[in-house]
């Protein structure tokens, strides 16, 4: 099994565990769970929702995209049970949640990474983080 495949399994397992832990409180009230937000997190959320529903036939999980801002806003507005985001929650969003009496719980299930690969014919021996940042930010 490749390292990437193992990593994917770990990420899916962590997400499923998070979903299970979070949904335990939601399921007590009703058997429908709505997750909205990040399109980056969408494939992981869908896979976890399907695995969870396979083991819990009486629970229906709806997973929707729309972006991280949508996921966070939906949690604050009470239109979803799980807000998926591929970025940290902003101070402004935390303040809005507090003003509305919403207790936001942040649970990190994965982190993004970038690998910089150079063609073997390239003369460059290495790049600093500042140089890589400059390349990607123009």
């Amino acid at each position: 099994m490749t390292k990437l495949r193992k990593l994917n399994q770990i990420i899916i397992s962590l997400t499923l565990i998070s979903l299970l832990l979070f949904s335990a409180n939601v399921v007590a009230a009703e058997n429908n769970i709505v997750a909205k937000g990040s399109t980056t997190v969408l494939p992981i959320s869908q896979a976890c929702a399907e695995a969870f529903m396979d083991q819990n036939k009486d629970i229906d999980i709806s997973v929707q995209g729309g972006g991280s801002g949508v996921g966070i806003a939906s949690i604050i507005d009470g239109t979803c049970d799980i807000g998926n985001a591929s970025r940290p929650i902003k101070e402004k969003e935390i303040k809005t949640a507090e003003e509305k009496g919403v207790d936001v719980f942040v649970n990190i299930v994965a982190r993004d990474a970038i690998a910089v690969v150079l063609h073997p014919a390239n003369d460059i021996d290495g790049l600093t983080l500042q140089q890589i940042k400059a390349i990607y930010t123009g």
Side-chain angles (χ1 to χ4, degrees):
M1 186 179 294
T2 66
K3 286 184 182 182
L4 183 58
R5 183 175 244 166
K6 285 180 184 178
L7 181 60
N8 282 339
Q9 286 183 341
I10 290 169
I11 290 171
I12 289 172
S13 296
L14 289 174
T15 305
L16 182 56
I17 290 167
S18 298
L19 182 62
L20 291 170
L21 291 174
F22 178 82
S23 65
N25 292 330
V26 176
V27 174
E30 58 185 84
N31 290 345
N32 295 316
I33 299 170
V34 176
K36 293 182 183 179
S38 171
T39 53
T40 302
V41 180
L42 188 63
I44 297 171
S45 294
Q46 287 175 327
C48 291
E50 289 170 14
F52 186 85
M53 289 186 295
D54 284 346
Q55 295 177 12
N56 299 274
K57 302 291 184 192
D58 60 329
I59 298 172
D60 182 46
I61 303 173
S62 170
V63 181
Q64 304 165 18
S68 296
V70 168
I72 294 169
S74 297
I75 280 289
I76 294 169
D77 293 340
T79 58
C80 76
D81 304 298
I82 300 170
N84 293 324
S86 55
R87 63 163 174 82
I89 188 168
K90 298 175 182 175
E91 286 298 320
K92 179 181 175 183
E93 293 164 330
I94 293 171
K95 185 177 179 183
T96 302
E98 288 172 352
E99 289 170 355
K100 292 188 174 191
V102 176
D103 201 10
V104 178
F105 174 77
V106 177
N107 185 33
I108 299 171
V109 295
R111 296 215 184 257
D112 290 334
I114 296 175
V116 179
V117 180
L118 300 173
H119 189 276
N122 196 318
D123 292 343
I124 297 173
D125 282 338
L127 297 169
T128 66
L129 288 176
Q130 289 176 335
Q131 290 170 321
I132 294 169
K133 180 179 179 180
I135 290 168
Y136 283 100
T137 59

